[in-house]
């Protein structure tokens, strides 16, 4: 069955460092992969989308990579700040579109001042 | 301001008492959907709609109904709520009809069924 895995343990880092979050998947041929940020009790907010034929995408301090051979996406936040503390979700939708994206459970990032 | 508005924000009800959670978007989006989020399980899609009068089941549709009579509104209906429907619910919309890219989410409805 299709499966998405994100590290369930919280990631603790110091302010100014680069945070790297991982999203692994199995039994998928994703058309694209998305990253969302979610604050406690709030709805997810879209951050970045990367397509299956793209290797890397950047937006300000954010960078996403997509390796369809390893079936993995890495999400980087450079020069992290305490305000970046949140849960980050990855989501996949399959090639051809199923209209039912599958979300990972999310990884909590805590940036210490 | 572009947004997805859900109401109510919090809802406590009793088993079997019908309820409706409203969802409205002001972005003229074609695609709308409902999710529930439970600890340790992540977001799971309940129903989605590609357009007015076009709805389809997601991964966990049992016990829920939806309707899409207007483009901007997509209410979630629980005809006979049960305690296992206690959850945090999100409505989401997307401009794209054929994909689920760049979803805009509402602020959520925390439902407790006693």
């Amino acid at each position: 069955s299709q499966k998405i895995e994100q590290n369930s343990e919280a990631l603790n880092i110091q302010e100014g460092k680069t945070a790297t979050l991982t999203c692994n998947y199995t039994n998928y041929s994703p058309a694209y992969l998305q990253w969302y940020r979610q604050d406690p009790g709030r709805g997810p907010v879209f951050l970045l989308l990367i397509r299956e034929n793209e290797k890397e995408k950047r937006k300000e301090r954010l960078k996403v990579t997509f390796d369809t051979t390893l079936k993995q996406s890495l999400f980087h936040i450079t020069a992290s700040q305490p305000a970046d503390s949140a849960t980050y979700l990855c989501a996949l939708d399959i090639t051809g579109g199923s209209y039912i994206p599958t979300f990972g459970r999310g990884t909590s990032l805590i940036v210490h001042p | 301001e572009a947004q997805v508005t859900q109401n109510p924000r919090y809802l406590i009800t009793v088993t079997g008492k019908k309820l409706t959670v409203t969802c409205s978007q002001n972005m003229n989006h074609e695609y709308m959907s409902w999710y529930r989020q439970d600890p340790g399980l992540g977001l799971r899609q309940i129903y989605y709609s590609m357009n007015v009068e076009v709805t389809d089941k997601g991964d966990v549709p049992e016990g829920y109904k939806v309707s899409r009579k207007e483009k901007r509104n997509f209410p979630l209906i629980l005809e006979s709520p049960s305690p296992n429907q206690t959850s945090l619910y999100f409505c989401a919309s997307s401009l794209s009809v054929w994909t689920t890219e760049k979803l805009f989410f509402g602020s959520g409805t925390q439902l407790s069924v006693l």
Side-chain angles (χ1 to χ4, degrees):
Chain A
S1 62
Q2 299 164 332
K3 196 173 178 183
I4 299 177
E5 289 187 353
Q6 293 186 257
N7 196 336
S8 59
E9 291 185 12
L11 178 63
N12 286 273
I13 65 168
Q14 286 298 126
E15 183 176 7
K17 300 292 187 183
T18 296
T20 299
L21 307 175
T22 304
C23 177
N24 294 301
Y25 61 92
T26 57
N27 298 324
Y28 256 113
S29 292
Y32 51 85
L33 186 147
Q34 305 182 71
W35 284 90
Y36 289 81
R37 170 186 172 137
Q38 186 174 25
D39 292 289
R42 310 298 293 180
V45 175
F46 170 77
L47 296 175
L48 280 171
L49 180 148
I50 187 165
R51 302 190 185 280
E52 59 183 330
N53 59 349
E54 297 174 318
K55 295 292 186 187
E56 182 179 298
K57 219 48 172 310
R58 291 175 184 262
K59 178 184 175 183
E60 299 172 350
R61 294 185 296 113
L62 309 180
K63 184 178 85 171
V64 173
T65 63
F66 197 11
D67 189 327
T68 55
T69 301
L70 290 178
K71 296 187 184 298
Q72 182 180 79
S73 174
L74 298 179
F75 177 78
H76 306 273
I77 305 176
T78 58
S80 59
Q81 306 164 0
D84 294 326
S85 298
T87 296
Y88 292 85
L89 312 175
C90 70
L92 294 174
D93 205 346
I94 61 174
T95 299
S98 69
Y99 316 118
I100 306 176
T102 301
F103 282 81
R105 298 176 186 180
T107 298
S108 175
L109 171 66
I110 302 168
V111 181
H112 300 276
Chain B
E1 180 190 353
Q3 58 185 0
V4 176
T5 304
Q6 287 179 236
N7 280 298
R9 183 77 175 91
Y10 301 94
L11 181 56
I12 301 174
T13 190
V14 295
T15 299
K17 187 176 181 182
K18 180 180 178 179
L19 66 91
T20 299
V21 184
T22 64
C23 175
S24 180
Q25 51 93 4
N26 63 358
M27 296 168 280
N28 202 36
H29 282 175
E30 303 281 350
Y31 177 94
M32 297 185 74
S33 55
W34 277 102
Y35 297 82
R36 60 178 289 172
Q37 188 173 37
D38 302 289
L41 291 179
L43 280 164
R44 294 179 293 166
Q45 192 187 74
I46 303 170
Y47 269 94
Y48 68 92
S49 170
M50 303 276 283
N51 209 332
V52 174
E53 303 292 1
V54 180
T55 64
D56 208 345
K57 297 177 181 178
D59 287 327
V60 289
E62 295 77 21
Y64 304 94
K65 284 176 59 177
V66 292
S67 68
R68 187 96 181 269
K69 293 182 170 35
E70 303 167 286
K71 194 173 185 179
R72 61 184 291 127
N73 296 324
F74 190 44
L76 179 69
I77 302 156
L78 284 71
E79 295 270 2
S80 182
S82 62
N84 65 10
Q85 293 178 299
T86 292
S87 187
L88 180 59
Y89 291 86
F90 291 103
C91 178
S93 71
S94 173
L95 178 63
S96 176
V97 178
W98 303 111
T99 71
T100 53
E101 299 178 18
K102 301 177 186 177
L103 294 168
F104 281 79
F105 284 85
S107 296
T109 296
Q110 180 65 61
L111 172 64
S112 296
V113 183
L114 306 177

